[in-house]
Amino acid sequence: MPLRVYNTLSRQKEDFQTVEPGKVSMYLCGPTVYKPAHIGHMVGPVIFDTIKRYLSYSGYKVTWVVNITDVDDKLINRANEKGMTVEALAKQMTQDYFDNLATMAVDGIDHFPYATQHIKEMQDIIATLIEKGFAYPLDGDVYFNCTKDEDYGKLSGRSLEQMLAGTRAETHGGKRHPADFALWKGSKPGEPAWESPWGMGRPGWHIECSAMAKKILGDSIDIHGGGLDLMFPHHENELAQSESCTGKPFARYWMHNGLMQASGAAGKVGGGHDKLGDKAADLTAAKEAQEANKLAGSKGAASVKELFAKHDPETIRFFLLATHYRSPIDFSDEGITNTGKALDGFYRLFETYERISGQSFYTLKIAPTRASSAALTGTPAEYFQALNDLRQRYLESMDDDFNTGGAVGVLFELRKTLNSFITDHKLETTPTDKSLLPALTAGMTLLKELSSILGVFREAKQKAASADDGLLDGLMQLVIQIRADARKNKNFAVADLIRNKLNELKITLEDRTDQTLWRRG
RNA sequence: GGCUCCGUGGCCAAGUGGCUAAGGCAACGGAUUGCAAAUCCGUCAUCGUCGGUUCGACUCCGACCGGAGCCUCCA
């Protein structure tokens, strides 16, 4: 079954075919670096990181570009507020973004071009557009001429007439059509500005992506991604500029991820709110409700860093991938906590495997591509058959428009299969029989291979290496020893007291046949 | 007003024109355990409402109800 991808352009799933066989060029709209990232900013990177991993696993050579917008109105305003230069603020926030990506295990981005370093490329495109009649200068600005572009609106599915009817924005006096947008903006005193044939100024919002995608990936790229909110006007305009400039299709597949909704964290507003009415007052109230309900606009939205303090980044990543990328994700503490509990079962299994095999799950060698994936054959035959079926279902899910939700489900089933195998064959209680160990390792390796595509379970959790932890472990061994003596003497009252008190301290004990294990939580 | 999208068990969430409608969390019953924990086994849905198309729809179409996004330089 071939890989199929949902293309916003056609509103349906299409067979995946790249411009160049075996290669994929991928562009994701990156952040405007003006304030610390919130969790919503991580959705796109995590999803496209996973998409890149899967494409690589499928044998493609993938080049992935994410731009950094380091000049923009919001950036200028905030820098002024904070009494910083635009450069200093941009640098600081870019570092914040990089830190967050690393924490979320997003490490597949090949290029991070900066808008301010591609002014020349943007001006070249603008000049070409003017030359071809797709753009016109006006009082130091340059505007794209939408009416000149015959298929303008094809991505978001709207016509210029519709936009004319719906527009409420003030029209710039001289614009030929209200939908015409700025390619170049004349600068006011004190703003960052570059020389240009049209006077001192700075680039419009959309032009940077056109310029950087073209420079690094070429005139036609395979995948262009971004949040659903960017479809219009940003991507529509980007597409119009690029195709008018080059005369070639800009992107084969436009992929838009659903947006994150805040529930609980930022306070759920709405419910019972009327639809947008005609009256200005209703409109304002509804808009405020919407704003309050949106992560991006919400003052209450926690920064990613705050979130990391409360939840394991791996749990957050898993949480994001448990829902299909095109669906909105309802973000809530309960939801992530739930995911955390679900993941605990995997960590238990990893520990169990290590006890049985003496080898860490995390050191298992996995195949880099599906073509090189190990053949799952051997005895017991039914067990290997089950592994094969699960792998097949996993790949089918991912081939179907990167259905990570379905793939996650398979991972859970694989976990159950492995636990059953261990239980059924008493692998943990009869450690002398090693004959089934290779079969178990084959299954665990499959689990590692499939989960690494999602970017999870790749490395052991680094334990906080504070001096306290060494002390804690020493104390715990002592407590466990004392309790073991009590149990040996059938003094269960003492043994249970110890265990209950530890529970209150969020420490769980597990009595096994040969030893007692402890863990936090 | 225009343009998109969504509505699956207590909660989260895959999926399909006809096969037992994945999986997770929670709950309940059992195995195991001194009792627990962990693990295993089992139980737990007719897919927003109403119509239509069809031999047959949860899956296609329509209406309605409910929710979300965009149209206003948010990923």
Side-chain angles (χ1 to χ4, degrees):
Chain A
M1 185 174 141
L3 174 61
R4 291 172 65 76
V5 175
Y6 182 89
N7 190 352
T8 303
L9 214 44
S10 65
R11 312 260 165 197
Q12 60 191 12
K13 292 178 194 171
E14 299 175 8
D15 285 346
F16 187 67
Q17 290 206 304
T18 59
V19 176
E20 251 187 279
K23 289 187 181 173
V24 177
S25 53
M26 195 160 96
Y27 187 96
L28 176 71
C29 287
T32 299
V33 282
Y34 73 110
K35 65 178 183 186
H38 63 255
I39 182 62
H41 293 117
M42 291 294 112
V43 176
V46 165
I47 286 164
F48 285 91
D49 183 67
T50 304
I51 287 173
K52 179 180 174 179
R53 285 175 199 281
Y54 188 65
L55 290 172
S56 299
Y57 183 72
S58 299
Y60 290 100
K61 174 94 179 66
V62 185
T63 306
W64 181 20
V65 176
V66 175
N67 65 288
I68 301 290
T69 300
D70 57 352
V71 57
D72 167 270
D73 288 345
K74 294 193 296 294
L75 194 44
I76 294 168
N77 293 339
R78 189 167 156 98
N80 287 339
E81 278 170 28
K82 304 197 73 164
M84 300 171 74
T85 63
V86 169
E87 294 76 31
L89 178 62
K91 193 173 176 194
Q92 193 183 347
M93 291 303 125
T94 301
Q95 191 54 51
D96 174 78
Y97 186 68
F98 287 163
D99 291 347
N100 294 146
L101 292 180
T103 307
M104 292 301 292
V106 174
D107 55 17
I109 302 171
D110 299 291
H111 301 277
F112 285 107
Y114 292 82
T116 54
Q117 292 171 14
H118 295 82
I119 302 293
K120 178 68 169 61
E121 286 83 353
M122 299 185 216
Q123 291 182 351
D124 288 347
I125 293 179
I126 295 170
T128 303
L129 288 171
I130 293 175
E131 200 177 301
K132 289 189 169 183
F134 286 110
Y136 55 91
L138 179 68
D139 302 336
D141 299 339
V142 179
Y143 288 95
F144 185 81
N145 188 350
C146 291
T147 41
K148 190 77 198 296
D149 179 16
E150 285 176 6
D151 51 12
Y152 184 81
K154 67 179 176 184
L155 180 65
S156 56
R158 46 190 99 203
S159 66
L160 285 173
E161 297 77 62
Q162 284 168 356
M163 288 192 295
L164 205 55
T167 191
R168 270 188 290 274
E170 293 299 314
T171 302
H172 182 292
K175 283 208 295 187
R176 297 180 191 173
H177 189 282
D180 289 356
F181 55 92
L183 297 168
W184 187 261
K185 303 161 99 162
S187 60
K188 301 189 191 80
E191 290 179 350
W194 288 263
E195 283 186 18
S196 82
W198 318 286
M200 291 298 284
R202 59 198 159 88
W205 177 31
H206 319 296
I207 194 70
E208 58 173 284
C209 291
S210 290
M212 296 187 282
K214 183 180 193 319
K215 183 188 178 193
I216 301 172
L217 299 173
D219 290 350
S220 291
I221 63 178
D222 292 306
I223 295 175
H224 190 121
L228 201 54
D229 53 339
L230 293 183
M231 188 169 87
F232 188 91
H234 183 54
H235 288 162
E236 190 72 72
N237 292 348
E238 216 184 308
L239 187 163
Q241 292 162 354
S242 290
E243 298 197 344
S244 297
C245 173
T246 66
K248 298 175 197 166
F250 179 43
R252 288 182 96 98
Y253 305 94
W254 286 86
M255 298 181 66
H256 291 99
N257 59 270
L259 304 180
M260 178 160 281
Q261 329 262 354
S263 106
K268 187 116 182 164
V269 186
H273 248 300
D274 297 318
K275 279 183 258 179
L276 295 189
D278 284 26
K279 291 177 186 167
D282 288 350
L283 195 66
T284 307
K287 186 186 168 183
E288 276 170 10
Q290 282 178 359
E291 285 298 327
N293 214 3
K294 281 201 301 195
L295 269 175
S298 166
K299 311 254 189 324
S303 74
V304 208
K305 289 230 163 75
E306 290 169 46
L307 201 58
F308 291 156
K310 282 165 72 180
H311 300 285
D312 188 329
E314 183 156 88
T315 303
I316 297 170
R317 181 166 176 130
F318 205 93
F319 173 77
L320 297 180
L321 293 173
T323 304
H324 188 90
Y325 77 87
R326 279 190 280 120
S327 302
I329 302 177
D330 187 38
F331 175 83
S332 68
D333 269 339
E334 305 89 278
I336 295 187
T337 301
N338 183 317
T339 301
K341 287 182 193 165
L343 290 193
D344 280 340
F346 284 102
Y347 302 134
R348 292 295 90 72
L349 173 60
F350 302 159
E351 291 160 9
T352 304
Y353 175 69
E354 186 160 353
R355 281 196 299 276
I356 294 172
S357 69
Q359 181 178 192
S360 165
F361 168 82
Y362 295 102
T363 62
L364 292 172
K365 291 266 189 302
I366 58 173
T369 63
R370 67 200 276 179
S372 61
S373 187
L376 295 167
T377 53
T379 48
E382 359 26 289
Y383 166 76
F384 277 99
Q385 187 56 51
L387 295 184
N388 268 307
D389 291 347
L390 288 167
R391 175 166 64 185
Q392 187 60 29
R393 283 174 50 208
Y394 182 97
L395 297 177
E396 280 171 7
S397 281
M398 291 299 281
D399 277 340
D400 182 15
D401 194 30
F402 309 104
N403 182 357
T404 53
V408 161
V410 174
L411 248 33
F412 281 107
E413 290 185 65
L414 178 53
R415 178 181 83 185
K416 177 161 282 193
T417 300
L418 292 165
N419 272 326
S420 296
F421 187 68
I422 291 168
T423 304
D424 292 349
H425 298 285
K426 300 185 169 54
L427 294 185
E428 207 174 2
T429 48
T430 55
T432 46
D433 180 10
K434 297 284 187 198
S435 63
L436 288 173
L437 192 52
L440 178 61
T441 296
M444 294 298 290
T445 303
L446 179 63
L447 175 59
K448 177 122 196 296
E449 189 167 313
L450 299 183
S451 50
S452 73
I453 292 168
L454 299 181
V456 295
F457 308 149
R458 294 195 300 156
E459 288 171 17
K461 301 227 165 308
Q462 72 280 26
K463 298 217 169 84
S466 66
D468 282 358
D469 274 14
L471 178 63
L472 179 61
D473 193 57
L475 285 171
M476 282 307 300
Q477 293 312 324
L478 177 62
V479 171
I480 286 170
Q481 180 60 52
I482 292 170
R483 181 166 168 275
D485 288 344
R487 291 179 69 213
K488 199 174 289 177
N489 298 325
K490 306 278 187 209
N491 191 347
F492 296 121
V494 169
D496 291 349
L497 178 72
I498 290 173
R499 190 173 58 200
N500 292 338
K501 287 294 178 190
L502 287 174
N503 275 343
E504 288 172 21
L505 297 171
K506 299 270 186 269
I507 290 175
T508 305
L509 293 186
E510 271 185 50
D511 291 326
R512 304 202 156 260
T513 46
D514 54 338
Q515 61 179 326
T516 295
L517 305 173
W518 73 277
R519 66 167 179 276
R520 287 168 182 269

